[in-house]
């Protein structure tokens, strides 16, 4: 199948969307069954499976981990592990998933795989209680500390409007591959926390971002750290009291996962899963205007897979 | 070292001292909850702290908060009583070995003494030079130490640990270690000067009269001395003694009286420096008496000293009864007859600093805490600050006690360490579920400073951190969502204050409250609010 054929079938899919959503699904599924792998999808959505199974299925559709991680490369993974709460509370990225990503990165030949987050709760308890430390170490990766200013180096960017300088986590700048591994959740300040919002954990001073137009600053984080790949954990999502959550009552089991290199598109897909309008999450539009991706996902090649 | 007894004591003391120091620096429960539990004063204050559960329970307003605690406390008190009895029994059986082997401040004095010994060595050479050696009968200072002990106990009965706070060897050792650890950058809790002042005073005392602190001032030492005075195993001198004075010279407690050839076993610290120097000085048999048990001492039993002692005792009663901060607090609640923490005017009047979770109230904490700084050393969030340390905000003007400061940290939600390590009973141990609802302060939003109002941009830094969901972002007046506080859920952990990006004066700060209570259960609260919410995964259609 060449590009023209593919575009043709894409047009069918889009037409299908216009008629009914039911038809849309069938069209998309038929696309998958046709095996459109001649060109890799822009965004992969997987659903109805356990986190590890969904990830395996999804990354396969993107040509496997080896298309992102080359042998002897240094890989850094940034899950969202902000709070000292258990996986069921869905405040942190699913530890099993983090472990699996580490494993696959190592299998693809990575020299070393580092995992970190600039935690909001005490780092020691957070790494432990979230289950991430155990999962990462079992998978052969390394959890590194990000709780002191000495681990960050000052970076400047004149293109930014508000965030013209910030201290960025040093190992992240030194890594060859940066995998962004957020969890989708409600957020009090930014409405939604997902792929772009997760980048706030890459810098030392987040206070200044809150002080000077939060949405603009979140989008401008992309000037400093741009992920190679975004994997969104939407297995369990927090729909209220985010980003920390009060109890498991705030959590819904959705069993979705989104994988994309386009961080803006990934976040737009996330808004659909959690059920927000794009306007409610202003930083996505800002990031698009800054040229970091496309927010109109109907124009993208999306692979929808059942795990 | 020829003296093998002394060798054992030195080895044991070294290990003991290192363990005590490391209990402040390393996070090991067998050190904090095990080793340090052997200290006498914390056990004593804990026993007396348990009396309060009786008095507090009579106030209906506090019952809800305190009821669960009394049970927990009761178990701990049993342990404290047992340890204290064992220590006193040991002192009765073989003397004040506690002072030479277990007391970290005693060992510290021995260390200072070791270094200052060359000063005395010079003196001794001069003494040897003179033809006639005259040994003065050493000071006894019996009245002084008994008065101090009496005042200490009377104030403690009144519920106030003030004398122990000032003179307890363990607590003062803690202050010194915390200051030292801060300077050595092992800990970062902020510098307070109390430890340094005490250390300087101690050095002066040691250089002047060696371990006079232990024999004349320390209330714990006096208590042990009373037990060992007529104890089972005594040190004694035989009649053959030629009064050469070698033993008296090495004795740091100055308890050897050469004119009557007797050793004051009440003051003897069992350092065993004298033992083995002379065959005439040895442990007597079980319950054997010294040939001349009369301890002549240079104290003046005059009318003046009697009046002085009486005055001190009276002062103790007055202090303990009238000026005890906790008593004043209880009177205040009796008058209020309601839970005062929810009425803002009361907050500003009564409370002036944020006490650690489990302390009950700032006043109670002031009355019960001996300021050993163990909780400060082990605070996960590093928000517990020593007295006189940390920046003041307009609500907490006074920081004359250990207090919480949320400028650079917050009270960790999943943590109850301060209560777990506290051995004095000042911070009662809460189980984690209780601690998560334990209100120690109350957040207060100044909307005139809040970014969402002044700049009209989104922020939500405070709501983002709030562990109980007390802070929610609601539709604001200026385009951006603004924070709203649900006071019933707020536990005053300071997460919001720490996160607030508005500087120097933050738009949200935690105000002290006059009494700690259980806040509403957030899970129950939100369950009621969101009973009919839909499942998102019901449909078979793709959400995107």
């Amino acid at each position: 199948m060449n590009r023209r054929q593919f575009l043709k079938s894409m047009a069918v899919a889009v037409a299908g969307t216009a008629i009914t959503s039911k038809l849309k699904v069938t069209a998309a599924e038929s696309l998958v069954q046709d095996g459109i792998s001649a060109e890799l999808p822009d965004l992969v959505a997987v659903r109805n499976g356990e986190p590890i199974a969904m990830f395996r299925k999804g990354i396969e559709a993107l040509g496997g981990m080896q298309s992102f991680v080359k042998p002897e490369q240094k890989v850094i993974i940034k899950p969202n592990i902000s709070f000292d709460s258990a996986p069921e509370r869905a405040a942190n990225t699913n530890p099993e998933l983090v472990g699996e990503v580490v494993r696959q990165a190592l299998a693809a030949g990575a020299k070393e795989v580092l995992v970190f987050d600039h935690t909001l709760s005490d780092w020691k308890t957070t790494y432990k209680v979230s289950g991430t430390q155990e999962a990462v170490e079992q998978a052969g990766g390394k959890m590194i500390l990000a709780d002191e200013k000495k681990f960050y180096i000052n970076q400047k960017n004149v293109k930014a409007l508000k965030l013209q300088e910030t201290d960025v986590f040093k190992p992240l700048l030194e890594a060859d591959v940066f995998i962004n591994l957020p969890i989708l959740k409600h957020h009090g300040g930014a409405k939604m926390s997902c792929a772009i919002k997760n980048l706030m954990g890459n810098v030392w001073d987040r206070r200044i971002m809150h002080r000077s137009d939060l949405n603009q600053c979140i989008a401008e984080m992309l000037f400093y750290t741009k992920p190679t790949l975004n994997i969104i954990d939407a297995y369990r999502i927090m729909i209220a009291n985010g980003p920390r959550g009060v109890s498991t009552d705030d959590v819904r089991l959705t069993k979705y996962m989104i994988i994309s290199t386009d961080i803006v598109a990934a976040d737009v897909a996330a808004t659909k899963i959690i059920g927000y309008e794009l306007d409610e999450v202003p930083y996505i539009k800002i990031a698009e205007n800054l040229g970091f991706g496309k927010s109109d996902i109907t124009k993208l090649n999306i692979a929808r897979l059942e795990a | 070292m020829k003296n093998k007894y002394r060798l054992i004591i030195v080895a044991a003391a070294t290990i003991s001292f290192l363990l005590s120091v490391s209990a402040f620096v390393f996070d090991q429960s067998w050190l904090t909850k095990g080793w340090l539990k052997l200290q006498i004063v914390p056990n004593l204050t804990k026993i007396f702290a348990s009396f309060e559960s009786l008095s507090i329970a009579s106030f209906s307003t506090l019952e809800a908060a305190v009821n669960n605690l009394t049970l927990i406390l009761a178990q701990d008190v049993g342990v404290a009583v047992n340890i204290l009895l064992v220590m006193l029994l040991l002192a009765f059986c073989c003397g004040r070995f506690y002072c030479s082997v277990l007391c970290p401040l005693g060992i510290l004095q021995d260390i200072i003494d070791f270094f200052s010994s060359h000063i005395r060595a010079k003196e001794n050479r001069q003494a040897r030079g003179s033809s006639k050696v005259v040994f003065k009968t050493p000071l006894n200072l019996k009245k002084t130490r008994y008065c101090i002990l009496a005042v200490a106990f009377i104030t403690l009965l009144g519920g106030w640990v003030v004398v122990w706070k000032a003179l307890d060897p363990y607590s003062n050792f803690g202050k010194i270690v915390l200051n030292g650890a801060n300077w050595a950058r092992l800990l970062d809790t902020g510098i307070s000067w109390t430890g340094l002042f005490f250390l300087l005073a101690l050095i002066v005392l040691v250089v002047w009269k060696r371990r006079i602190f232990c024999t004349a001032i320390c209330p714990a030492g006096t208590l042990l001395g009373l037990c060992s005075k007529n104890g089972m195993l005594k040190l004694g001198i035989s009649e053959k003694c030629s009064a050469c004075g070698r033993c008296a010279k090495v004795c740091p407690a100055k308890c050897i009286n050469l004119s009557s050839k007797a050793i004051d076993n009440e003051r003897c610290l069992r350092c065993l420096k004298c033992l083995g120097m002379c065959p005439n000085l040895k442990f007597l048999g079980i319950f054997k008496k010294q040939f001349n048990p009369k301890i002549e001492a240079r104290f003046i039993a005059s009318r003046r000293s009697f009046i002085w002692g009486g005055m001190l005792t009276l002062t103790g009663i007055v202090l303990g009864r009238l000026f005890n901060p906790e008593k004043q607090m209880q009177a205040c609640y009796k008058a209020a007859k309601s839970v005062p923490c929810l009425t803002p005017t009361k907050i500003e009047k009564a409370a002036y600093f944020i006490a650690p979770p489990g302390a009950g109230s700032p006043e109670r904490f002031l009355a019960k805490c001996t300021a050993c700084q163990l909780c400060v050393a082990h605070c996960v969030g590093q928000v517990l600050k020593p007295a006189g340390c940390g920046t003041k905000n307009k609500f907490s003007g006074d920081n004359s006690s250990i207090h919480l400061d949320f400028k650079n940290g917050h009270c960790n939600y999943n943590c109850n360490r301060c209560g777990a390590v506290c051995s004095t009973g000042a911070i009662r141990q809460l189980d984690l579920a209780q601690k998560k609802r334990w209100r120690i302060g109350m957040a207060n939003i100044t909307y005139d400073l809040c970014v969402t109002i002044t700049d009209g941009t989104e922020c939500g830094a405070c709501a983002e951190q709030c562990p109980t969901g007390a802070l929610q972002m609601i539709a604001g007046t200026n385009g951006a969502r603004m924070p709203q506080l649900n006071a019933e859920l707020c536990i005053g952990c300071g997460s919001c204050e720490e996160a607030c990006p508005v500087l120097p004066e933050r738009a949200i700060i935690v105000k002290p409250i006059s009494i700690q209570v259980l806040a509403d259960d957030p899970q129950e609260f939100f369950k009621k609010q969101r009973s009919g919410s839909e499942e998102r995964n019901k449909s078979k259609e793709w959400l995107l």
Side-chain angles (χ1 to χ4, degrees), chain B residues 306-319:
Chain B
F306 176 77
I307 292 170
W308 189 63
M311 288 278 279
L312 258 177
T313 315
L314 205 68
T315 321
I317 297 170
V318 173
L319 284 176

Side-chain angles (χ1 to χ4, degrees), chain A residues 218-272:
Chain A
I218 292 173
E220 286 176 1
M221 268 310 301
L222 281 159
F223 282 124
Y224 299 92
T225 53
K226 201 164 179 311
T228 321
L229 182 66
N230 303 286
I231 305 162
I232 297 174
D233 171 20
Y235 180 73
R236 293 190 192 95
I237 62 169
M238 187 189 287
I239 56 155
N241 287 325
R244 185 172 188 142
V246 168
S247 69
T248 44
D249 294 342
D250 299 327
V251 178
R252 295 289 176 271
L253 193 67
T254 36
K255 295 195 176 179
Y256 266 76
M257 180 175 291
I258 291 161
I259 309 175
S260 177
T261 50
D262 185 336
I263 196 166
V264 176
D267 262 0
V268 174
T271 58
K272 304 244 186 272

Side-chain angles (χ1 to χ4, degrees), chain B residues 383-398:
Chain B
V383 284
L384 271 172
K385 299 287 177 195
C389 177
T391 45
K392 296 175 179 183
N393 67 36
K394 64 178 172 181
F395 293 108
S396 50
D398 191 331

Side-chain angles (χ1 to χ4, degrees), chain A residues 47 84 207 241 252 273, chain B residues 414 472 498 533 536 540:
Chain A
R47 71 173 187 180
D84 48 357
R207 198 172 272 156
N241 287 325
R252 295 289 176 271
I273 294 175
Chain B
N414 281 327
Q472 295 285 341
E498 185 204 2
S533 58
R536 288 199 63 79
K540 275 195 161 181

Side-chain angles (χ1 to χ4, degrees), chain A residues 278-296:
Chain A
L278 190 53
D279 303 342
E280 287 182 276
V281 195
Y283 62 78
I284 301 180
K285 229 24 192 180
I286 300 172
E288 187 191 25
N289 293 339
L290 293 173
F292 292 114
K294 296 183 188 69
S295 70
D296 190 0

